[in-house]
Amino acid sequence: MKISGSYAVPVSSGRAYQLLQDPLILAQCMPGTDQLEKIGPDEYEMKIKVLIASMGGSFTGKVRIADQKPPESFTLMVEGTGKIGFLKGAGLLTLLPQGESTEVSYEGDVQVGGTIASVGQRLLDTTAKMIIKKFFQKLSELATDGP
């Protein structure tokens, strides 16, 4: 499944880049996240709960940040497994200054398998868009609350 889009974050590109690298901020922004702990340079272990339609479950996995070009772009790679299946994805995030705010564009691929894949492409696509929207809304909220 391909995902792409963009969101405006009300801070400079340098600050937005910094926020998107902070595991404490990321854990607060990702819906359903129970844990996001650093296990190596630019690598984190995650525990997250996902609910799609009437199907839900916990996933454990890893998040890795690669190809960093501060404050312009980086690649985010996520993989997780749980009783209802697996998910694996990679996306390029590009930060473009827009006056006093930053446009964060993302483009990537997500693969899902197992029981969770049976809910259908349309529902997975809608759920992914909702999760991404909630992520950026929370990021914007935290960005304006912080120092």
Side-chain angles (χ1 to χ4, degrees), residues 87-107:
L87 61 93
K88 185 175 185 176
L92 175 65
L93 283 83
T94 306
L95 290 74
L96 187 64
Q98 299 287 322
E100 293 185 17
S101 64
T102 302
E103 181 179 342
V104 181
S105 299
Y106 61 91
E107 187 173 342

Side-chain angles (χ1 to χ4, degrees), residues 4-6 14 31 37 44 51 53 79 81 90 98 100 115-116 122 125-126 131 140 147:
S4 65
S6 66
E37 288 184 10
Y44 305 89
L51 179 64
E79 59 182 66
T81 57
Q98 299 287 322
E100 293 185 17
T115 310
I116 197 168
R122 182 180 223 158
D125 192 42
T126 302
I131 289 170
S140 293

